[in-house]
Amino acid sequence: MSLRAATRVTRSLSGLLPRWGHGQAPPLLFSQQRNNSTSPKIRVEFNPTSGVAVMHMQSPPVNSLSLDFLTEFCIGLEKLEMDKGCRGLIITSSQPKVFSAGLDILEMYGKSPERCGEFWKAVQEMWLKLYGSDMITIAAINGSSPAGGCLMALTCDYRIMADQPRYTIGLNETLLGIVAPFWFKDTMANTVGHRTTEMALQLGLLYDPSEALNVGLVDQLVPEDQILSAATQTMTKWLAIPDHARQITKSMMRKPTIDRLTSNREADIQNFVNFITKDSIQKSLRAYLEILKKKKT
Amino acid sequence: MSLRAATRVTRSLSGLLPRWGHGQAPPLLFSQQRNNSTSPKIRVEFNPTSGVAVMHMQSPPVNSLSLDFLTEFCIGLEKLEMDKGCRGLIITSSQPKVFSAGLDILEMYGKSPERCGEFWKAVQEMWLKLYGSDMITIAAINGSSPAGGCLMALTCDYRIMADQPRYTIGLNETLLGIVAPFWFKDTMANTVGHRTTEMALQLGLLYDPSEALNVGLVDQLVPEDQILSAATQTMTKWLAIPDHARQITKSMMRKPTIDRLTSNREADIQNFVNFITKDSIQKSLRAYLEILKKKKT
Amino acid sequence: MSLRAATRVTRSLSGLLPRWGHGQAPPLLFSQQRNNSTSPKIRVEFNPTSGVAVMHMQSPPVNSLSLDFLTEFCIGLEKLEMDKGCRGLIITSSQPKVFSAGLDILEMYGKSPERCGEFWKAVQEMWLKLYGSDMITIAAINGSSPAGGCLMALTCDYRIMADQPRYTIGLNETLLGIVAPFWFKDTMANTVGHRTTEMALQLGLLYDPSEALNVGLVDQLVPEDQILSAATQTMTKWLAIPDHARQITKSMMRKPTIDRLTSNREADIQNFVNFITKDSIQKSLRAYLEILKKKKT
């Protein structure tokens, strides 16, 4: 399967992240794109007066988390983190109907172990930087947010989701035969508790906005066209708190979870590479790509 | 007090597991039976087409968890576990009005330390096997489920309870002067969280079905006559998930809790034996048996 | 600023613990008082028949947790703990509109490191004694309860709050640029879970009674004039449980949290002293005291 073909298929599916149900094909977990490699995948608007940056994810079709995307994301994040004037970050999507479709499947299919390892390290890096950020981080979830997209949202301090019933959010890795690693699990359990996480991860549950609000996966629902203003309003509330005390408090809450990955980072990479390069898993991924392809034709 | 007398007393109380309240006698925590020792205490129906087994607990009067019962239960579980064709297990009761009344009090009263230790090891074994099962496990709770009966239900992946207000469920050990061990506590905290567990265990709370649903002790209520069909329906949903990914995910969620017992198993047995053979505790158990006896007469 | 002036300022604010909102001054976190040093700050009524003691906090104006207060509190607690006849303790306030305004700011401002360390050790001692108490402990929260006052309530077994919308409760330390230490955090997380704690601590949230009930920060709301009778009624329910089993269960739930502080006690003191004696923090505290002063004039 050519990259070009994969890209076309994905693009057509970007708005079709279905809620999981009987007799349905598994929803789009991952996506893939390689074109536009010269256009920036991230656009950052920083307002020095308010101290707030807005990061627009603009990688067509569905903000899939490719190695290139993650690298750009982390560089952007690091720049803001080092800017003393930047106190808050809002993350949102410029792509229609999707926040981020999650990890790029093409980074995991038919790739060398070395490349897979490099990719996974970038996924870890994104999480470590964002979960441990000194900035106030708000996810303005203006579209579906499965798998890695959900992780990115969970890693922020606050989540506002567009109240559009067709959008879904969740760590649905099992549906593809993939397993969310322990730090995805920890991040979700820190947000919605052990039991909800246990069931959601086993079943690969995708929640619609009101369900997500109900279990605590997101904090607030607003009409889609008000999502940025709502995020800004919430940000103002958080900005009123003295930075230093808030940062120490945030670190106290999250450090044990971050430390678990930091001290097991190499093993976690090895674990991912061993798992993803298995014949059976590659076969699953191929089957999934075939489904996408057939859907297209 | 003869075993026969105890049996008779219990039998008469099997349907009387009251909700705890002021001025009421403590509810039936444990039960005892020694008759029917030749009849199987467990009946397993396995459907190779669906890959689902139904385990009927049929140990009169109240499916008390005696050493014999637990041994049979674990053998049945192990057989199913080893059968590659068996992917799901539904556990339910054939006894009226009770799922399981919990640990058999006669295994703890007037027994030698060795025997008590043997019994406790079997309780551990049941929990270890069930909590760590690779199968999808669903408790179809068609009756009251105090103490060890509640533990068994909590140890499954999903709990459906008959919506009959007279049925109750909970870890009510303190009411008898007994203490739920740390792995009962861990299992409950993994399900309903720390605070609910702290209060429920201290007070020995028994919840009626709607309360149990409300705190998350059970996942779903259905009319009693629909409990097996509801369990089957839920099972179908879980069966749609690729086994391998689901099993790894389940293990990731539960392994830390399982490891805590595995690495402290002998100490936990010793702890139980020391506690249960104390004069004061034996006196409590005797008093409880007397209450049961008086209730009968 | 003289102690007398500080005292006067605080006194005038004792009933003004506002709910946090935009454009408002930060609420009263701490308070200070040095007068009445000869009057007892705690009054204990013990009823030998019921086995229940009621501890009235009566340190004007707002039951601030000064070193003297904490010392008296711990001595009172220890006496009751050693009295075999005392099985339950209700903690309430004799001051109008406030349960306890939390740690005394004057114990932290302009004090020597040695004195700060002594003070912090007393705060630890209060928590260790109360969280690990063998008695049944019920907080009858008949007024606002910010910061250390909230900690004291959280440290009990059960919380009943007066249903008066002007009263608030929460760990709002960040509002003053201070950080709640890890064991404040652990106590709150054990009560309301990780996510609610993460957000509440970062934002320094103060909850009104119905919000507090909703997130589980308190267990029950009653009209203010019924708070002691409600506490007594709940106590009766808890007294029905055999002490020994309840105590072991309580210890099992709380020991890991207590052990974390016990094994890090010196480091925690050093950490507090280093933090609180920083120029920037002292400046924050001074600014806060100035705000109180201006409010007065």
Side-chain angles (χ1 to χ4, degrees):
Chain A
M1 181 186 194
S2 74
L3 292 176
R4 179 174 298 269
T7 306
R8 256 186 284 119
V9 167
T10 306
R11 187 169 289 152
S12 70
L13 283 169
S14 65
L16 298 176
L17 296 158
R19 220 177 128 202
W20 175 76
H22 297 303
Q24 291 186 316
L28 186 58
L29 288 174
F30 306 106
S31 62
Q32 58 275 42
Q33 59 91 225
R34 277 298 169 285
N35 60 348
N36 297 325
S37 62
T38 52
S39 329
K41 292 166 171 52
I42 305 283
R43 180 168 56 87
V44 177
E45 290 174 345
F46 175 49
N47 180 339
T49 312
S50 66
V52 178
V54 180
M55 192 182 258
H56 301 268
M57 301 187 286
Q58 53 178 16
S59 181
V62 290
N63 292 326
S64 60
L65 307 179
S66 64
L67 181 52
D68 286 352
F69 183 99
L70 290 166
T71 305
E72 229 183 89
F73 184 91
C74 284
I75 290 171
L77 201 59
E78 205 162 326
K79 274 187 196 160
L80 296 171
E81 200 77 58
M82 290 188 312
D83 184 338
K84 294 274 176 191
C86 183
R87 300 176 59 212
L89 170 64
I90 295 168
I91 301 177
T92 194
S93 167
S94 296
Q95 303 311 116
K97 298 176 191 163
V98 69
F99 179 71
S100 162
L103 305 186
D104 188 334
I105 200 168
L106 285 189
E107 299 284 9
M108 299 184 273
Y109 178 68
K111 287 287 185 296
S112 72
E114 289 69 31
R115 171 75 188 199
C116 285
E118 198 188 351
F119 171 64
W120 197 247
K121 198 172 176 179
V123 181
Q124 292 177 336
E125 196 64 27
M126 178 271 281
W127 180 80
L128 288 169
K129 280 200 158 52
L130 197 53
Y131 204 56
S133 174
D134 268 346
M135 295 182 285
I136 301 154
T137 53
I138 296 180
I141 310 164
N142 54 345
S144 282
S145 199
C150 175
L151 177 74
M152 186 186 275
L154 285 174
T155 303
C156 292
D157 289 318
Y158 194 82
R159 283 157 289 287
I160 303 175
M161 190 169 184
D163 194 5
Q164 166 54 263
R166 289 198 322 160
Y167 297 163
T168 61
I169 185 168
L171 294 178
N172 58 336
E173 279 78 354
T174 52
L175 296 187
L176 193 60
I178 304 284
V179 176
F182 73 87
W183 40 286
F184 283 50
K185 179 263 287 176
D186 288 346
T187 310
M188 183 162 183
N190 284 350
T191 311
V192 300
H194 185 99
R195 172 58 184 159
T196 299
T197 302
E198 183 180 76
M199 197 149 79
L201 288 193
Q202 285 198 68
L203 290 171
L205 291 182
L206 287 171
Y207 298 88
D208 69 29
S210 61
E211 291 166 337
L213 182 69
N214 199 42
V215 298
L217 205 57
V218 302
D219 299 300
Q220 194 181 341
L221 302 184
V222 298
E224 183 159 358
D225 60 352
Q226 293 167 30
I227 200 159
L228 270 184
S229 64
T232 305
Q233 217 175 326
T234 297
M235 185 60 85
T236 305
K237 208 167 104 181
W238 286 67
L239 288 167
I241 311 299
D243 274 335
H244 190 59
R246 184 190 51 73
Q247 288 159 356
I248 296 176
T249 301
K250 179 174 177 176
S251 167
M252 176 176 65
M253 296 301 303
R254 299 191 167 190
K255 195 169 179 301
T257 307
I258 288 173
D259 285 351
R260 281 191 70 199
L261 179 57
T262 308
S263 61
N264 288 289
R265 207 165 164 183
E266 273 312 311
D268 182 61
I269 292 174
Q270 208 47 60
N271 191 45
F272 171 75
V273 173
N274 292 346
F275 182 81
I276 210 71
T277 56
K278 270 185 193 164
D279 280 355
S280 59
I281 301 301
Q282 287 290 311
K283 209 174 287 182
S284 289
L285 295 179
R286 181 207 295 265
Y288 184 66
L289 287 168
E290 292 300 326
I291 289 171
L292 296 185
K293 210 172 170 178
K294 268 178 204 149
K295 277 212 155 185
K296 169 73 187 166
T297 55
Chain B
M1 181 187 192
S2 74
L3 293 176
R4 179 173 298 271
T7 307
R8 256 186 283 116
V9 167
T10 307
R11 187 168 290 154
S12 71
L13 283 169
S14 67
L16 298 176
L17 296 159
R19 222 179 126 199
W20 175 74
H22 297 304
Q24 291 187 317
L28 186 60
L29 288 174
F30 306 106
S31 61
Q32 58 274 48
Q33 58 91 225
R34 276 297 169 285
N35 59 349
N36 297 325
S37 62
T38 52
S39 329
K41 291 167 171 51
I42 304 284
R43 180 167 56 87
V44 177
E45 290 174 344
F46 175 49
N47 179 339
T49 311
S50 66
V52 178
V54 181
M55 192 181 258
H56 302 268
M57 301 187 286
Q58 53 177 18
S59 181
V62 290
N63 292 324
S64 60
L65 306 179
S66 64
L67 180 53
D68 286 352
F69 183 100
L70 290 165
T71 305
E72 230 184 88
F73 184 90
C74 284
I75 290 171
L77 202 59
E78 204 162 327
K79 274 187 195 160
L80 295 171
E81 200 76 58
M82 290 188 312
D83 184 338
K84 294 274 176 189
C86 183
R87 300 175 58 210
L89 170 64
I90 296 167
I91 301 177
T92 195
S93 166
S94 295
Q95 302 311 115
K97 299 175 190 163
V98 69
F99 180 70
S100 162
L103 305 185
D104 188 335
I105 202 170
L106 286 188
E107 299 284 9
M108 298 185 273
Y109 178 67
K111 287 285 185 299
S112 72
E114 290 68 30
R115 171 75 189 201
C116 285
E118 197 188 352
F119 171 62
W120 197 248
K121 197 173 177 178
V123 180
Q124 292 178 336
E125 195 65 27
M126 179 271 282
W127 180 80
L128 288 169
K129 279 199 157 54
L130 197 53
Y131 204 56
S133 174
D134 269 345
M135 295 182 286
I136 301 154
T137 53
I138 296 179
I141 309 165
N142 54 346
S144 283
S145 199
C150 175
L151 176 74
M152 186 185 275
L154 285 173
T155 303
C156 291
D157 290 317
Y158 195 82
R159 282 158 289 286
I160 304 174
M161 190 169 185
D163 195 5
Q164 166 54 264
R166 290 199 319 162
Y167 297 163
T168 61
I169 184 168
L171 293 178
N172 58 336
E173 279 79 355
T174 51
L175 296 188
L176 193 60
I178 304 284
V179 177
F182 73 87
W183 41 286
F184 283 49
K185 180 263 287 177
D186 287 345
T187 310
M188 183 162 182
N190 284 350
T191 310
V192 300
H194 185 98
R195 171 58 184 158
T196 300
T197 302
E198 183 180 76
M199 198 150 76
L201 289 193
Q202 284 199 68
L203 290 171
L205 291 182
L206 287 171
Y207 297 89
D208 69 30
S210 60
E211 291 167 336
L213 182 69
N214 199 43
V215 298
L217 205 56
V218 303
D219 298 299
Q220 193 182 341
L221 301 184
V222 297
E224 183 159 359
D225 60 352
Q226 293 167 29
I227 200 159
L228 270 183
S229 64
T232 305
Q233 218 175 325
T234 297
M235 186 60 85
T236 304
K237 208 167 104 183
W238 286 67
L239 287 167
I241 311 301
D243 275 337
H244 190 59
R246 184 190 51 73
Q247 287 159 357
I248 296 176
T249 301
K250 179 173 177 177
S251 167
M252 176 175 65
M253 296 302 303
R254 298 190 168 191
K255 194 169 178 303
T257 307
I258 288 172
D259 286 351
R260 281 191 70 199
L261 178 57
T262 308
S263 60
N264 289 289
R265 207 165 164 184
E266 273 312 311
D268 182 62
I269 292 175
Q270 208 47 59
N271 192 46
F272 170 76
V273 172
N274 292 346
F275 182 82
I276 210 73
T277 55
K278 270 185 191 164
D279 280 354
S280 58
I281 301 301
Q282 287 290 311
K283 210 175 285 181
S284 289
L285 295 178
R286 181 207 296 264
Y288 183 66
L289 287 168
E290 292 299 327
I291 289 170
L292 296 185
K293 208 170 168 179
K294 269 180 202 146
K295 276 211 155 184
K296 170 71 186 167
T297 56
Chain C
M1 180 186 193
S2 73
L3 293 177
R4 179 173 299 270
T7 306
R8 257 186 283 118
V9 167
T10 305
R11 187 169 289 152
S12 72
L13 283 169
S14 66
L16 297 177
L17 297 160
R19 219 178 128 201
W20 176 75
H22 297 303
Q24 292 186 315
L28 186 58
L29 288 174
F30 306 106
S31 61
Q32 58 274 50
Q33 58 91 222
R34 276 299 168 286
N35 59 348
N36 297 325
S37 62
T38 51
S39 331
K41 292 167 171 49
I42 303 284
R43 181 166 55 86
V44 177
E45 292 173 344
F46 175 48
N47 179 339
T49 312
S50 66
V52 177
V54 181
M55 191 181 259
H56 302 268
M57 301 188 286
Q58 54 177 17
S59 181
V62 290
N63 292 325
S64 60
L65 307 178
S66 64
L67 181 52
D68 285 352
F69 182 99
L70 291 165
T71 305
E72 230 184 87
F73 184 90
C74 284
I75 290 171
L77 202 58
E78 204 161 326
K79 274 186 195 162
L80 295 172
E81 200 76 59
M82 290 188 311
D83 184 339
K84 294 274 175 191
C86 182
R87 300 175 59 212
L89 170 65
I90 295 168
I91 301 177
T92 195
S93 166
S94 296
Q95 303 310 115
K97 298 176 190 162
V98 68
F99 179 71
S100 161
L103 304 186
D104 189 334
I105 201 169
L106 286 189
E107 299 283 10
M108 300 185 272
Y109 178 68
K111 286 286 184 297
S112 72
E114 289 69 31
R115 171 75 189 200
C116 285
E118 198 188 350
F119 170 63
W120 197 248
K121 198 172 177 179
V123 181
Q124 292 178 337
E125 195 65 27
M126 177 271 281
W127 180 80
L128 288 169
K129 280 198 157 53
L130 197 54
Y131 203 56
S133 173
D134 269 345
M135 295 182 286
I136 301 154
T137 53
I138 296 179
I141 310 164
N142 53 345
S144 282
S145 198
C150 175
L151 177 74
M152 187 186 274
L154 285 173
T155 303
C156 292
D157 290 317
Y158 195 82
R159 284 158 288 287
I160 303 175
M161 189 168 184
D163 195 5
Q164 165 56 262
R166 291 198 322 161
Y167 296 164
T168 60
I169 184 168
L171 293 178
N172 58 337
E173 279 80 354
T174 52
L175 296 187
L176 192 61
I178 304 284
V179 176
F182 74 87
W183 41 286
F184 282 50
K185 180 264 287 176
D186 288 345
T187 310
M188 182 160 183
N190 284 351
T191 311
V192 300
H194 185 99
R195 171 58 183 159
T196 299
T197 302
E198 183 180 77
M199 197 149 78
L201 288 193
Q202 284 198 69
L203 290 170
L205 290 182
L206 288 172
Y207 298 89
D208 69 29
S210 60
E211 292 167 336
L213 182 69
N214 199 41
V215 299
L217 205 57
V218 302
D219 299 299
Q220 194 181 341
L221 302 183
V222 297
E224 183 159 358
D225 60 352
Q226 294 166 30
I227 200 158
L228 271 183
S229 64
T232 305
Q233 216 175 327
T234 297
M235 185 59 85
T236 305
K237 208 167 103 182
W238 286 68
L239 287 168
I241 311 301
D243 274 335
H244 190 59
R246 184 190 51 73
Q247 287 160 357
I248 296 176
T249 300
K250 179 173 177 176
S251 166
M252 175 175 67
M253 295 303 302
R254 298 190 168 191
K255 194 166 178 304
T257 307
I258 288 173
D259 286 351
R260 282 192 70 199
L261 178 58
T262 307
S263 61
N264 289 289
R265 206 165 165 184
E266 272 313 310
D268 182 62
I269 292 174
Q270 208 47 59
N271 191 46
F272 170 76
V273 173
N274 292 345
F275 182 82
I276 211 71
T277 56
K278 269 184 191 163
D279 280 355
S280 58
I281 302 301
Q282 287 290 310
K283 210 175 287 180
S284 290
L285 295 179
R286 180 207 297 264
Y288 184 66
L289 288 169
E290 292 300 327
I291 290 171
L292 296 185
K293 210 170 168 178
K294 270 179 202 148
K295 277 212 156 185
K296 170 72 187 167
T297 55

